[in-house]
Amino acid sequence: MKLWVISEEVVARFGNELGACGIELVVCSADAIQEGANGFLLTKESDGKLLQQRMQQPGTGPWLALVYGSDVPYDWANTLHAQCEHTGEHEVIRMALFTRERALLGGEPNGRWMRFLCKQLARCSLVTMVCGMREVDEAVRQFPRYLAWKEQFYIELGASCDEKGISLLQVSRALGMDKRIGQGWLYPSRQDSSLIIRWLEKECRLVLQKANIQRIVLWGDDSLWGHMPSDWLAEKDVAVYMGEDKPIPNKRMTGWTRYDSWQDAVKDADLLVIGNAAGTTIAELPLSELVNGMRQSYVIDAAACFPLQEAQSYFQAYRAIGENTNVWE
């Protein structure tokens, strides 16, 4: 199916993830709605004006107005539905994707486009749940809060595991045998990184006291490093790798060098600091290849990228949350 959007920015932001659902996004011209589309993708409040002003196409059948994204105004989709309901020309559906495997759809359960969209997502192997529009909004708002609480719990549990000399990874897997909890505990797309930042800074300061560290690699999203205090990095050669094809951040840290290649970033490094592995290749790398590129193989890992035994066998010292083994004595 094909949906019009108002800008290339929307295509760049959502094109890939919706493309995996069989939804093609095409930028609409400034003065007219072209034929051949099923409706509009609405992502923010200004798009509502587009819906009201330009979707009056008598005789074309009902259009789909798909409201998508975690940052749309709360209850906006329901408001649009109330405004358009009397015309019979538009069907508004609120949609949210989770882990690209499951989707929430809010709207009329027996609507034409709702039935079509459920079948479309099923063909793309997505499990869907149909509910009300405001229920989707509430779920989208509450998911980050729940995941943040869950992450805080596991960081505190990791500190307890450190004291007892046991594995957080194994404890978390044991807890995850209960389906109410689930196996995954890391939250890579967190909105508040303060807990991870404090943990990374504490561990980094410790290794700087114990080892001769000159070159440091920060591996992960720029949003994480931009909020981290940088005084502990003073007078160090700092390399930043955010993954392939990542845009250059607007805020550049003075004295830090951004690399497009992980091989160049880790070359002759003494300390590798992994903040967030999402969208990067690090968890798939042969550890021997990673170690061979470094001068010293000290690693602090907030993303639990590597199996503990394998990491201990390759790195001089490896520290992950709740894995207080082989550290900097």
Side-chain angles (χ1 to χ4, degrees):
M1 64 186 302
K2 181 184 293 185
L3 298 179
W4 296 117
V5 297
I6 61 172
S7 69
E8 290 287 353
E9 181 182 354
V10 177
V11 176
R13 186 177 178 187
F14 299 117
N16 289 337
E17 57 193 65
L18 290 177
C21 303
I23 300 174
E24 179 185 357
L25 303 182
V26 181
V27 178
C28 183
S29 68
D31 55 355
I33 298 173
Q34 298 95 332
E35 297 180 359
N38 306 111
F40 278 91
L41 180 78
L42 307 181
T43 60
K44 55 187 178 180
E45 193 164 6
S46 61
D47 292 351
K49 299 177 182 178
L50 187 68
L51 176 69
Q52 297 169 9
Q53 296 173 3
R54 302 171 60 189
M55 289 186 66
Q56 303 299 327
Q57 296 283 331
T60 61
W63 284 75
L64 168 62
L66 186 64
V67 180
Y68 183 77
S70 60
D71 56 352
V72 298
Y74 191 86
D75 202 32
W76 180 52
N78 197 57
T79 301
L80 288 178
H81 170 70
Q83 293 172 350
C84 301
E85 187 176 17
H86 67 280
T87 68
E89 295 290 336
H90 319 301
E91 182 177 343
V92 180
I93 296 178
R94 176 71 167 105
M95 177 177 170
L97 284 179
F98 302 109
T99 67
R100 300 190 181 183
E101 297 173 354
R102 301 174 187 272
L104 279 177
L105 298 176
E108 296 294 334
N110 296 318
R112 169 190 166 185
W113 285 112
M114 179 66 78
R115 296 195 303 271
F116 180 91
L117 194 55
C118 286
K119 294 177 181 179
Q120 171 74 25
L121 296 178
R123 285 193 292 267
C124 296
S125 301
L126 272 79
V127 177
T128 58
M129 173 181 170
V130 177
C131 57
M133 299 178 192
R134 286 183 292 182
E135 282 77 6
V136 176
D137 284 340
E138 188 67 22
V140 168
R141 183 164 70 173
Q142 296 300 336
F143 267 117
R145 294 183 62 195
Y146 170 76
L147 293 172
W149 290 338
K150 185 178 181 181
E151 184 174 63
Q152 181 174 352
F153 165 78
Y154 277 105
I155 288 178
E156 293 176 1
L157 177 60
S160 176
C161 289
D162 281 348
E163 295 175 1
K164 297 177 177 67
I166 59 179
S167 168
L168 171 62
L169 184 59
Q170 293 183 30
V171 172
S172 65
R173 286 176 176 172
L175 292 174
M177 293 177 68
D178 187 325
K179 292 183 178 180
R180 296 171 299 174
I181 297 174
Q183 291 286 336
W185 64 273
L186 286 170
Y187 178 29
S189 57
R190 61 184 69 88
Q191 294 180 349
D192 182 0
S193 299
S194 58
L195 292 173
I196 295 296
I197 287 173
R198 286 198 295 269
W199 183 85
L200 284 170
E201 183 185 6
K202 175 174 67 72
E203 296 301 324
C204 288
R205 290 186 184 278
L206 180 60
V207 71
L208 291 180
Q209 294 173 6
K210 301 292 185 178
N212 181 19
I213 304 297
Q214 297 301 321
R215 178 172 169 82
I216 300 173
V217 180
L218 306 179
W219 189 308
D221 291 341
D222 178 70
S223 58
L224 181 66
W225 311 125
H227 291 89
M228 176 176 284
S230 58
D231 58 309
W232 61 276
L233 292 166
E235 301 180 0
K236 304 296 182 183
D237 180 9
V238 180
V240 180
Y241 178 69
M242 297 185 294
E244 298 177 356
D245 301 323
K246 293 287 186 178
I248 297 176
N250 293 328
K251 181 180 179 181
R252 303 295 299 275
M253 292 296 182
T254 304
W256 295 10
T257 305
R258 180 187 182 275
Y259 289 87
D260 297 321
S261 161
W262 71 264
Q263 292 92 338
D264 293 337
V266 304
K267 184 178 180 181
D268 295 329
D270 300 305
L271 172 63
L272 172 61
V273 183
I274 305 169
N276 186 325
T280 68
T281 58
I282 192 164
E284 304 170 2
L285 292 180
L287 296 191
S288 58
E289 188 175 350
L290 186 62
V291 170
N292 289 339
M294 300 178 69
R295 181 166 51 202
Q296 299 184 83
S297 55
Y298 293 102
V299 179
I300 297 174
D301 181 5
C305 293
F306 310 118
L308 182 61
Q309 291 183 338
E310 184 180 4
Q312 286 182 284
S313 66
Y314 278 97
F315 299 133
Q316 288 174 254
Y318 178 70
R319 178 74 163 108
I321 296 175
E323 304 290 3
N324 193 11
T325 56
N326 196 27
V327 262
W328 331 110
E329 286 80 1

